[in-house]
Amino acid sequence: MENEAKQKRKAVMTPIRVSPSEKEKIRANAAAAGLSLSDFMRQACLDPIVVVKENAIDKDFVYHLIKIGNNINQLTKHANSLKMGYDSKRLNVLLDRLESIITKVL
């Protein structure tokens, strides 16, 4: 029983060489997964499917961005139905920028 415990103890180090930018990306991925750097590396090597936990703040942020996009779209449709003068190019630019932000966040 005691031998099994000793074998399971993580006593062997396996250093790897990475660039500073790779190291930072690995650290960021480990943090996003809610894991220590060692646990992240172990899981990534032994079980290559590492699930990154979703951040509640990001979901809320995306939700509000989508709502803003819907509001802009509704205002555009309303202005168009009333034949109001509006800058359609500017509204389209705003919608395009909003869609681009949402795509980057997702």
Side-chain angles (χ1 to χ4, degrees):
M1 184 100 156
E2 197 173 317
N3 263 347
E4 288 178 21
K6 285 183 180 179
Q7 287 178 347
K8 288 184 180 182
R9 196 177 321 146
K10 296 166 187 92
V12 178
M13 291 185 62
T14 307
I16 62 168
R17 293 185 187 275
V18 295
S19 69
S21 63
E22 289 172 331
K23 183 177 181 180
E24 189 52 43
K25 187 172 182 180
I26 292 168
R27 281 187 188 276
N29 288 342
L35 299 170
S36 69
L37 186 59
S38 294
D39 288 339
F40 179 80
M41 293 294 290
R42 196 176 301 108
Q43 187 174 343
C45 292
L46 297 174
D47 182 13
I49 299 172
V50 177
V51 178
V52 176
K53 295 180 182 176
E54 292 186 33
N55 189 342
I57 296 171
D58 290 343
K59 281 184 175 180
D60 191 48
F61 179 70
V62 170
Y63 170 80
H64 288 316
L65 283 177
I66 290 170
K67 287 294 188 181
I68 291 168
N70 287 340
N71 289 342
I72 292 172
N73 195 29
Q74 288 172 358
L75 289 170
T76 304
K77 286 180 181 178
H78 182 68
N80 193 34
S81 70
L82 296 176
K83 306 285 187 222
M84 296 173 64
Y86 65 95
D87 188 355
S88 63
K89 287 182 182 178
R90 179 153 166 71
L91 287 172
N92 284 329
V93 168
L94 287 173
L95 282 171
D96 289 342
R97 286 178 57 197
L98 190 58
E99 287 174 359
S100 173
I101 291 169
I102 291 170
T103 302
K104 287 178 185 177
V105 170
L106 297 178

